[in-house]
Amino acid sequence: MVNWLYRAVMEHVLSPATLTELRRPRPYPAVSVLTPTHRREPYNAQDQVRLRNVVAEAKRQLEADPAVSRDRRTEVARRLDRALSEVDLTHAEDGLVIFAASGEHQVWSLSRSVPERVVLSDTFLTRNLVSAQTAERPFWVLSLAADRVTLWNGGADRVTEARVGGFPLTRRMENFDPERQQRVGDLPSAFREERTRQFLRETDIAMSAVLRDHPRRLYVTGEPAALTLLDEVGGTAGSAVHVPHGGLAHGTPEAVWQAMRPVLEAEARRSTDTVARALETARGRREFAAGVDELWQSARDGRVRLLAVEENYRVSAHDAGDHLILTESGDLGSREDIVDEIVEQCLETGADVRFVPDGMLGEADGIAGVLRY
């Protein structure tokens, strides 16, 4: 199948349940195919050829592996072909991942570059998906109106409408004319009706279910009266960020993005300042670590409490056992996604992972952390 993430953009639904399913053991071989892609010309001109070549390499490895039976090899190769036929590179982002195993295949488009790689194992390689989602900082936007509630997927530079959990929710309103009410200034009156109260109560229940399956930061937009009423009738909005902006339940993704952008930019600045202060304090307490070698080991030991990574920081390294040796990209045996590996390991051990603007970490060379001990 093509994962429903794979549309015009990555829809940011790598939920804990989805990740658990991707990581479960499969009959060998579970094939992971990774390749970088490009959003714009002329860099995307060779993406199709590169993708076909890396899939061909996966088939070659299947053919050469004596542990793979003929029937299994034929089935997994067929799944790779089906996945390849479903890829639409006109909507490419920065990376593409294909998973194929007996009886299944998935395609994931990522907003973070990945190394070109083929892995045959008994599980799929997920760390690049985890890192991409973390870097994107996904969020929900719930836009309220008296007759419609729309849910939006948010990422680093866009929002798209999310048709999950029953959203959008709509109801028919007799004698309801929002344009007339805006002209005469009595729009808040719609939010004093019992039927509207019940509608937003149902909204709260539906949003709670979405957050259980796909937890992330929630913003709620609407007229002040709508925001107040949602707070009164349910508990979902208790931890949400209120954005007093009406009209977005019937709006366009671009209108929602323009309303959200100043809010997100202000939060990003505060988050960056918080990370900078935490790192400076850690230096004084000797709880500071920097560089991929030190943080790779600390992450494996579960010692990292806060990890800061510059947004476009990528580095290749060779595993020398007790330490890493930095290498050039493409060197034989190098691990080109070592940063993503550190990110995933830190998340696995409960660390707070923050992606920060390039250059912020200075002498730390792109990656730094606060240690637990």
Side-chain angles (χ1 to χ4, degrees), residues 354-370:
R354 307 282 188 94
F355 283 81
V356 299
D358 292 341
M360 176 200 153
L361 299 178
E363 295 179 358
D365 291 329
I367 188 167
V370 178

Side-chain angles (χ1 to χ4, degrees), residues 1-9 79 82-88 96-99 104-109:
M1 72 172 189
V2 175
N3 191 285
W4 74 274
L5 288 179
Y6 188 70
R7 301 289 170 83
V9 296
R79 289 287 174 173
R82 286 185 59 182
L84 185 62
S85 71
E86 292 166 357
V87 172
D88 181 3
L96 190 74
V97 178
I98 292 174
F99 296 135
E104 63 178 318
H105 66 278
Q106 297 186 29
V107 178
W108 292 72
S109 178

Side-chain angles (χ1 to χ4, degrees), residues 80 89 330:
L80 287 169
L89 288 175

